[in-house]
Amino acid sequence: MADPHTQGAPGADGAEARDGQAAPLWGGRFRATPSADLTRFGASLPVDRRLWEEDIAGSKAHARMLGAQGILSEADVAAIVSGLDAVADEIREGRLAFDETVDEDIHMAVERRLTELVGSAGGRLHTARSRNDQVALDSRLAAKRLASGLMAACERLEAALLARAEAERETILPGYTHLQPAQPVRLAHHLLAYFWMLSRDWARLFAARRAADASPLGSAALAGTTYPLDRGATASELGFSSVIPNSLDAVSDRDFALDLIYASAMAMLHLSRLCEELVLWSSAEFGFVTMDDAHSTGSSIMPQKKNPDFAELVRGKTGRVYGDLMALLTTMKGLPLAYDKDLQEDKEPLFDAADTARQCLEVVAGMVETLAFNRARMREAAGEGLMAATDMADYLVSKGLPFREAHGAVGRLVARCVAEGKGLEDLALDEMRAESPLFDEDVYGWIELEAVVDRRATEGGTGAAPLAVQLALAEDELARQRAEAPAA
Ligand code: ARG
């Protein structure tokens, strides 16, 4: 038997509806409709249904503007606006059943329900509008909201890092290069390194929000419209700073989505590095931190285990956010102007990247707020790695020895310490003098951890003086962000 979806004379209203299904909005010129499977394939409703608030806000603004411009009657505008409010109530209360075999996307679902509720006025809403400018509008409103949420989460983590840093000015731990103990640093200094990474993420999120902050509404399908629209009115009602100046660009541009995914990916990169250190530091071998029980998991077989699962999962989720970025970059390349259905693939990576990064920022903030630093263990490790060797050589330099000779003398002392399993401070003065007669009693004070650390007094260094400056700069940065943060 022939496929019922491709057979049959068109009904009076155009394409014949499938059993129990409404004819699509474009029924007029069609003689057959896609199968249920194809309809499902073409639908974005399962992904874009979350845009319902943006869609309804955009439609109300559009209808009011059409009324103000004399394109719709005041009675129609009133019916549309109250009908849209009723649709919003139904969705909010879970009373509207979405079905992607009936409605391709949230725009069609809202318009269909509106028309069911208010009749012919509902059919006038789409005057001078296309789903092409509508979807660009909804996505931009969503991107702005997502960016604001991400900025708030980012700021929470920055504040947590800064607060923990303030309290750890005196804590000294090994600093590493090549993951080998290199020079001792203050824990506050180490934590602030992440603070600055996150502050750059905040700035990227702020810029991504600004990229979304221009209205495409009124561009219609691609070329603008014959109706006398007031694009500035809808833009300002919806909280946009400006109107996109080119209708083709307005319906084709997804840079704002890519900017937000990229900003999310960079934040994930930083979270992943921080989480890697937390995983390492919470190992028995390092023992620098103890994760709060409420931020750890156990093992179903090994009773002694306490696993940094959530830190690992953040590290793991970084990969999918990079995937979101690559997916949309690849979707966009080579698309001719203006709207192409490929663009429908923008929302999944956008939502996934922003949701994932937001969640991870919150999770890591909770972790940083609650973890315990094992100060004694950090200090012990800082003393273990012969990390005062550079300073010991500098000591000899301060007594007039050329640095190369000093490096050689201290290198031989280091070899002796390694062979005997002891620290530089454990060497007797005689042992030191065997390598250089310039060593004196004051060398012991010179190589104490605090002295070693505070000698790094250059701007941005780990010494107490530049650290105090850095903490103040971080406070200023956070205050500036709080002042600049847009209201939701
Ligand atoms: N569902 C579409 C999307 O998400 C909406 C725009 C469709 N426009 C069109 N002409 N088919 O991109």
Side-chain angles (χ1 to χ4, degrees):
M1 198 186 139
D3 181 348
H5 302 119
T6 56
Q7 293 291 310
D13 302 335
E16 187 160 316
R18 293 188 302 277
D19 283 348
Q21 297 202 346
L25 292 179
W26 46 76
R29 65 98 66 223
F30 283 78
R31 302 180 71 82
T33 57
S35 68
D37 279 347
L38 264 184
T39 303
R40 215 175 275 115
F41 173 73
S44 54
L45 185 60
V47 174
D48 64 26
R49 52 184 288 171
R50 67 185 270 176
L51 293 175
W52 67 270
E53 278 184 289
E54 286 84 359
D55 198 73
I56 287 174
S59 287
K60 283 164 72 172
H62 181 65
R64 287 197 188 105
M65 181 275 295
L66 292 178
Q69 296 297 104
I71 301 165
L72 289 191
S73 71
E74 286 309 319
D76 280 338
V77 174
I80 288 170
V81 169
S82 66
L84 287 167
D85 285 336
V87 175
D89 289 342
E90 289 185 3
I91 299 175
R92 193 176 299 111
E93 291 156 19
R95 288 188 282 119
L96 188 63
F98 288 117
D99 182 351
E100 73 268 25
T101 62
V102 176
D103 296 309
E104 175 187 311
D105 51 34
I106 188 64
H107 326 297
M108 293 165 82
V110 168
E111 190 183 326
R112 181 179 56 76
R113 185 64 189 138
L114 172 70
T115 306
E116 284 169 8
L117 291 177
V118 307
S120 64
R124 298 208 167 92
L125 168 63
H126 211 52
T127 310
R129 188 175 68 168
S130 156
R131 281 184 301 143
N132 297 350
D133 58 343
Q134 194 178 356
V135 69
L137 174 75
D138 294 4
S139 301
R140 282 172 174 271
L141 288 170
K144 285 176 69 178
R145 186 143 76 165
L146 290 168
S148 294
L150 280 158
M151 284 154 74
C154 188
E155 192 218 287
R156 177 182 164 196
L157 177 54
E158 287 171 83
L161 287 163
L162 181 53
R164 300 303 309 252
E166 298 274 11
E168 303 296 338
R169 297 165 194 244
E170 303 308 327
T171 308
I172 296 178
L173 79 162
Y176 298 85
T177 63
H178 313 271
L179 204 53
Q180 304 293 325
Q183 291 172 356
V185 294
R186 291 178 186 276
L187 178 55
H189 191 54
H190 195 110
L191 293 171
L192 286 178
Y194 285 102
F195 173 89
W196 296 113
M197 293 179 223
L198 269 296
S199 77
R200 294 192 293 273
D201 291 325
W202 192 92
R204 270 183 282 272
L205 292 164
F206 185 87
R209 186 183 180 282
R210 197 168 41 207
D213 188 22
S215 174
L217 195 59
S219 300
L222 73 165
T225 176
T226 56
Y227 295 89
L229 302 188
D230 181 351
R231 292 189 61 201
T234 45
S236 64
E237 175 171 346
L238 293 166
F240 286 105
S241 300
S242 65
V243 163
I244 298 175
N246 181 310
S247 64
L248 290 167
D249 188 35
V251 295
S252 313
D253 171 40
R254 295 294 184 272
D255 293 2
F256 65 94
L258 282 165
D259 287 351
L260 191 53
I261 301 174
Y262 172 66
S264 301
M266 286 299 294
M268 290 300 297
L269 186 159
H270 296 140
L271 294 181
S272 185
R273 293 184 74 173
L274 174 55
C275 284
E276 165 62 16
E277 294 215 295
L278 293 179
V279 170
L280 203 61
W281 285 10
S282 62
S283 67
E285 289 72 11
F286 271 80
F288 289 179
V289 300
T290 306
M291 295 271 203
D292 192 82
D293 281 358
H295 293 263
S296 312
T297 59
S299 160
S300 56
I301 176 170
M302 298 166 282
Q304 86 284 11
K305 290 297 291 291
K306 179 169 169 182
N307 296 328
D309 265 37
F310 303 121
E312 295 165 67
L313 195 52
V314 169
R315 196 177 57 188
K317 283 180 185 288
T318 304
R320 62 189 266 181
V321 177
Y322 293 178
D324 292 326
L325 179 60
M326 206 42 65
L328 187 56
L329 280 170
T330 310
T331 295
M332 296 305 296
K333 79 177 275 296
L335 285 191
L337 295 180
Y339 180 87
D340 303 279
K341 181 78 168 178
D342 315 45
L343 291 172
Q344 182 169 289
E345 286 294 304
D346 63 346
K347 283 172 280 298
E348 254 178 305
L350 173 63
F351 297 158
D352 185 67
D355 293 348
T356 304
R358 167 90 190 252
Q359 203 180 25
C360 290
L361 284 163
E362 302 279 5
V363 165
V364 175
M367 228 180 269
V368 169
E369 284 158 3
T370 56
L371 58 79
F373 293 117
N374 303 330
R375 295 174 183 149
R377 173 65 201 124
M378 288 184 180
R379 191 178 176 90
E380 187 190 8
E384 276 166 0
L386 303 167
M387 280 180 289
T390 312
D391 288 63
M392 208 165 176
D394 286 339
Y395 171 90
L396 294 176
V397 170
S398 79
K399 307 250 164 167
L401 200 64
F403 182 78
R404 275 296 144 226
E405 280 176 49
H407 188 288
V410 175
R412 286 186 293 279
L413 289 172
V414 164
R416 179 177 193 140
C417 288
V418 171
E420 296 174 13
K422 60 187 185 188
L424 291 166
E425 66 286 354
D426 301 324
L427 292 167
L429 196 51
D430 287 347
E431 294 174 301
M432 295 189 201
R433 285 192 170 144
E435 294 302 341
S436 169
L438 295 172
F439 281 115
D440 233 320
E441 235 359 280
D442 61 347
V443 70
Y444 293 103
W446 182 284
I447 62 173
E448 262 174 23
L449 281 179
E450 274 72 18
V452 168
V453 166
D454 285 338
R455 215 170 278 124
R456 270 75 192 161
T458 39
E459 193 178 346
T462 204
L467 178 65
V469 173
Q470 190 188 167
L471 282 163
L473 287 172
E475 293 284 2
D476 289 351
E477 170 68 19
L478 206 52
R480 194 187 54 75
Q481 285 180 13
R482 284 173 177 154
E484 280 181 23

